[in-house]
Amino acid sequence: MIEEGGRTGKTMAEKRQIFTEMMSQNFDTIRLSTYRTACKLRFVQKKCNLHLVDVWNMIEAFRDNGLNTLDHNTELSMSRLETIISSIYYQLNKRLPTTHQINVQQSISLLLNFLLAAHDSEGQGKVTVFSVKAMLAIMCAGKIVDKLRYIFSQISDTNGAMTLSKFDHFLREGLKLPSAVFEGPSFGYTEHSAHACFPQQKKVMLNTFLDTIMADPPPQCLVWLLLMHRLANVESVFHPVVCSYCRSEGMVGFRYRCQQCFNYQLCQNCFWRGHASGNHSDQHQMKEQSSWKSPAKKLSHAISKSFGCVSNREPPHPMFPENPERPLDLSNIVPPRPVQNSMNDSVTPPSEGHTPIKSSVQGIAAAQRMNEEHALIAAYVDKLRTSPRALDSPSRMDEEHRLIARYTARLAADPSNAAQTPQQLSFDANKQQRQLIAELENKNREILQEIQRLRLEHEQASQPTPEKAQQNPTLLAELRLLRQRKDELEQRMSALQESRRELMVQLEGLMKLLKEEEQRQASQAAGSPQTSPGQGSSRPIPMPIRSAGTTPTHTGHAPSHMPQDSLAGVGGDVQEAFAQGARRNLRNDLLVAADSITNTMSSLVKELHTVEDGGDEEDERLQNGKDRG
């Protein structure tokens, strides 16, 4: 009794271990529930070493433990579940180098206890097959597209269409993960969750499923799943920018840029916890940045975007065939035995005069069977080569095993094979192998000869001639001059961009001075103190706007380093401030200066493109000279 009580206490301590360590990380201080849930699940993933297990390794572990042959509602015992988890970690240690081995027993204990806490809250000691597949597929590493494809294969029918009831089952099991880390009130399961993701009630295929789940924004009940993968992707991204609150010299992870305050940026820890300083407020809209671009790339991106040269964003996932690949039909892999053999087996042995006829019939039948077997195997191999998806199919190993078993049984039941001795069989196999090796060697020699011939042709074509030697120095000198001219134009463009930025700053300062003068005159005329605009107003906490790049959206000829709303306000206020006749000359001079700089930049960009086109023409001339030589 004492030993049993001690073991129970140890089990309870192991169950509380991962949650105790998670609470010590102070994730609850994060104000947004989406980031809070993603950080907690990412911590559990790394603590259980699931971030080292790829989704394809997880699918292979499911197949090795026979989960692909069981019904989704089949219950797994505690010992069976522990066996599955043990095989995952032991296979992981085989793939890892010896210097990066993990503690297998500790990982098994942590993952097993977390799995039971999430999916077996009643303490019955049993979980279903679908619960294990859904939880481990979500918590393991790998691309989000591969995970969603595997999940879709588990919730779709034979025609490749999603079954809404199975998707609802997936949500019911998957949303137990946020509840396990105490985020159930924010991302708990409801009866309307599945219908909210696909409200149109139409046929949902794989591409539609991926478009819906990976949309921006994704469905509210699964937004934590996409954010957890983005957290894993940006953990090692470094931004050489100083945080405006904590003043750290660099940021790692996400970077957040205010859309109202000029050049105000926060690291992810400060933004998640609602820190603010100066004129910035946590009510301001922030843009989330997941990468860093140098100022040169920013300038080129801004110029290309202003002239409409930026290409459209790539789709979030590749397009997959709508109709799933049908599994290989193994019912006719081994054809039935020919009628001649069955008839010959049932009759009495013939006389010696009929022996040659019987042996010839048996030889023809054996040759036909062997040709059929070889044709079927060759067709299966060609199918695997031409169809990459067949290699990723979960049932591929089962199909191959069944095919080999049937073929072995067929050979064992063949009387012609039974009559041969093992020495004869090995001799025939060795003979076939030698023939195959000879054929491959012949093909290899042919390929080497072709490679040698192409190499000689290339060397002959690339040998310089006296005419080329005379032309090349002139062309190279012209190309160097063009590149030098291009660099000078780029420097001039940068200088004009800086001048334009200074002019806009001066316009903004002048606008502020004029507004203060008008407010002071208005307050003196009315005899009442000046009131601050917008005092007492309140706004809800904004969610950050995600962006793949670092250049904010702008239109026309606005500079890339200022927010769009600030530029729009500057232009409107300047027009209003300079509407009076006494100040119209100053207003016209400033606007004419701005237009002049804009026109100069446009002409400079055109000249730069002209120089690039000239460089391309010189390269083409050089290539044509080589071809003529």
Side-chain angles (χ1 to χ4, degrees):
M1 294 293 293
I2 297 176
E3 293 180 357
E4 183 177 355
R7 185 177 180 181
T8 304
K10 183 180 179 181
T11 303
M12 294 300 295
E14 290 176 349
K15 288 184 177 180
R16 291 193 299 266
Q17 177 184 355
I18 190 170
F19 297 106
T20 304
E21 295 181 3
M22 182 182 66
M23 293 176 64
S24 65
Q25 301 294 320
N26 294 327
F27 291 128
D28 291 330
T29 58
I30 300 176
R31 58 171 182 160
L32 300 177
S33 60
T34 304
Y35 289 88
R36 192 167 58 244
T37 306
C39 289
K40 289 181 178 180
L41 291 177
R42 176 62 177 170
F43 173 80
V44 174
Q45 182 189 47
K46 297 178 70 174
K47 194 67 180 177
C48 296
N49 289 316
L50 286 176
H51 67 294
L52 303 175
V53 183
D54 192 76
V55 61
W56 299 113
N57 300 129
M58 193 66 71
I59 296 173
E60 183 180 0
F62 294 159
R63 186 187 301 119
D64 293 340
N65 289 274
L67 296 186
N68 57 327
T69 60
L70 299 178
D71 187 76
H72 283 174
N73 297 322
T74 304
E75 292 184 347
L76 299 176
S77 62
M78 185 74 172
S79 59
R80 180 75 180 275
L81 180 60
E82 188 173 0
T83 302
I84 296 171
I85 296 176
S86 301
S87 66
I88 294 173
Y89 286 117
Y90 280 115
Q91 291 297 326
L92 173 62
N93 254 358
K94 291 180 181 179
R95 295 190 298 269
L96 293 176
T98 55
T99 56
H100 293 75
Q101 297 288 307
I102 64 171
N103 190 340
V104 175
Q105 295 301 327
Q106 181 182 4
S107 301
I108 293 173
S109 176
L110 291 176
L111 180 57
L112 182 62
N113 290 321
F114 179 75
L115 183 61
L116 293 177
H119 294 275
D120 186 33
S121 57
E122 299 178 358
Q124 298 179 357
K126 291 183 179 180
V127 293
T128 62
V129 172
F130 189 76
S131 298
V132 175
K133 287 184 176 181
M135 186 268 188
L136 295 181
I138 291 175
M139 294 299 295
C140 68
K143 296 181 179 179
I144 184 63
V145 177
D146 298 333
K147 289 187 178 183
L148 295 177
R149 286 178 60 195
Y150 174 72
I151 292 171
F152 185 82
S153 68
Q154 301 298 309
I155 62 176
S156 59
D157 55 15
T158 56
N159 296 324
M162 186 193 74
T163 305
L164 190 61
S165 60
K166 293 183 179 180
F167 178 69
D168 183 77
H169 189 194
F170 164 72
L171 288 181
R172 188 163 58 250
E173 298 297 333
L175 291 177
K176 290 180 181 178
L177 293 173
S179 300
V181 293
F182 315 110
E183 296 295 335
S186 301
F187 298 102
Y189 170 78
T190 61
E191 297 179 355
H192 306 287
S193 299
H195 294 279
C197 296
F198 301 96
Q200 300 180 358
Q201 297 290 336
K202 64 179 182 180
K203 190 175 181 180
V204 179
M205 307 301 288
L206 175 59
N207 293 316
T208 306
F209 177 78
L210 295 177
D211 291 337
T212 303
I213 302 300
M214 300 179 65
D216 189 11
Q220 183 61 29
C221 59
L222 294 176
V223 64
W224 54 270
L225 176 60
L226 280 298
L227 182 57
M228 185 176 70
H229 284 80
R230 284 165 40 214
L231 279 175
N233 293 332
V234 302
E235 279 185 346
S236 59
V237 175
F238 179 76
H239 306 267
V241 180
V242 178
C243 178
S244 300
Y245 182 83
C246 65
R247 312 307 299 178
S248 60
E249 294 298 330
M251 305 180 189
V252 178
F254 286 119
R255 175 170 55 91
Y256 296 90
R257 187 185 185 96
C258 182
Q259 299 298 287
Q260 300 182 25
C261 302
F262 172 70
N263 201 22
Y264 191 91
Q265 304 186 67
L266 293 175
C267 61
Q268 61 181 16
N269 291 330
C270 294
F271 173 76
W272 290 350
R273 287 158 179 82
H275 297 323
S277 62
N279 296 327
H280 178 72
S281 171
D282 58 1
Q283 305 293 330
H284 290 181
Q285 199 78 5
M286 304 290 287
K287 179 176 288 187
E288 182 181 276
Q289 311 288 351
S290 59
S291 61
W292 166 256
K293 288 184 179 180
S294 61
K297 289 185 178 180
K298 289 181 182 179
L299 178 61
S300 62
H301 181 82
I303 295 175
S304 301
K305 194 169 185 179
S306 63
F307 287 94
C309 301
V310 178
S311 60
N312 297 328
R313 293 184 59 186
E314 296 181 358
H317 64 86
M319 298 300 294
F320 298 98
E322 295 292 345
N323 297 324
E325 184 180 358
R326 295 185 177 276
L328 185 63
D329 186 10
L330 299 177
S331 59
N332 297 322
I333 285 295
V334 179
R337 296 182 65 181
V339 182
Q340 301 94 313
N341 291 350
S342 60
M343 293 178 61
N344 292 334
D345 293 340
S346 61
V347 299
T348 57
S351 60
E352 294 181 358
H354 296 282
T355 301
I357 299 176
K358 179 180 178 181
S359 61
S360 62
V361 172
Q362 290 180 350
I364 295 173
Q368 291 177 352
R369 288 195 303 271
M370 184 173 294
N371 292 333
E372 292 174 354
E373 299 287 353
H374 291 171
L376 290 171
I377 294 175
Y380 182 69
V381 172
D382 292 338
K383 183 179 181 181
L384 292 178
R385 290 177 177 174
T386 56
S387 177
R389 294 186 60 198
L391 296 174
D392 299 335
S393 176
S395 60
R396 179 178 65 87
M397 294 295 296
D398 296 335
E399 294 175 1
E400 292 179 356
H401 291 167
R402 292 168 63 183
L403 176 61
I404 294 172
R406 286 174 177 267
Y407 185 59
T408 304
R410 183 78 174 84
L411 294 177
D414 195 345
S416 59
N417 292 335
Q420 296 179 357
T421 61
Q423 292 80 2
Q424 292 176 345
L425 292 175
S426 61
F427 177 76
D428 294 340
N430 293 333
K431 184 178 179 181
Q432 293 177 359
Q433 290 178 359
R434 288 194 297 270
Q435 292 178 355
L436 180 60
I437 292 173
E439 293 177 358
L440 293 176
E441 289 179 350
N442 293 331
K443 291 182 179 180
N444 188 27
R445 283 193 295 269
E446 293 177 359
I447 293 173
L448 291 176
Q449 292 176 359
E450 183 67 18
I451 292 174
Q452 186 66 21
R453 184 182 63 81
L454 294 175
R455 184 178 299 168
L456 292 175
E457 292 180 357
H458 178 70
E459 291 177 354
Q460 293 176 359
S462 61
Q463 287 180 356
T465 59
E467 183 179 358
K468 294 180 184 178
Q470 295 175 0
Q471 293 178 356
N472 286 341
T474 304
L475 294 176
L476 292 176
E478 293 179 359
L479 288 176
R480 280 195 295 268
L481 291 175
L482 288 175
R483 291 192 182 97
Q484 184 178 1
R485 179 60 176 168
K486 181 180 178 182
D487 295 337
E488 294 176 356
L489 292 176
E490 289 179 351
Q491 293 177 0
R492 289 179 57 191
M493 182 183 296
S494 301
L496 288 175
Q497 185 75 8
E498 184 67 20
S499 301
R500 184 181 180 183
R501 183 188 66 81
E502 294 176 357
L503 178 61
M504 297 303 296
V505 172
Q506 292 175 5
L507 287 174
E508 184 179 3
L510 183 59
M511 176 270 297
K512 290 182 180 178
L513 293 176
L514 292 176
K515 287 183 64 176
E516 291 176 359
E517 180 67 23
E518 290 179 357
Q519 290 177 0
R520 186 161 50 251
Q521 293 177 1
S523 62
Q524 291 176 359
S528 59
Q530 183 178 354
T531 59
S532 61
Q535 184 175 3
S537 61
S538 62
R539 295 168 60 187
I541 298 177
M543 287 292 291
I545 304 173
R546 289 200 300 111
S547 173
T550 58
T551 304
T553 305
H554 62 282
T555 58
H557 297 281
S560 61
H561 68 281
M562 298 181 61
Q564 179 65 27
D565 53 357
S566 299
L567 294 181
V570 170
D573 293 337
V574 168
Q575 292 178 2
E576 182 180 358
F578 290 125
Q580 302 176 4
R583 300 167 180 156
R584 188 167 302 277
N585 294 331
L586 178 60
R587 170 181 175 274
N588 291 336
D589 293 340
L590 292 175
L591 293 179
V592 167
D595 292 338
S596 176
I597 293 177
T598 304
N599 296 331
T600 305
M601 283 197 63
S602 301
S603 62
L604 187 59
V605 171
K606 291 180 180 179
E607 186 174 357
L608 179 61
H609 286 300
T610 305
V611 171
E612 292 178 352
D613 296 339
D616 295 338
E617 292 177 359
E618 292 297 334
D619 292 338
E620 185 176 359
R621 287 171 51 194
L622 179 59
Q623 184 65 31
N624 293 334
K626 292 182 179 179
D627 295 339
R628 288 193 300 268

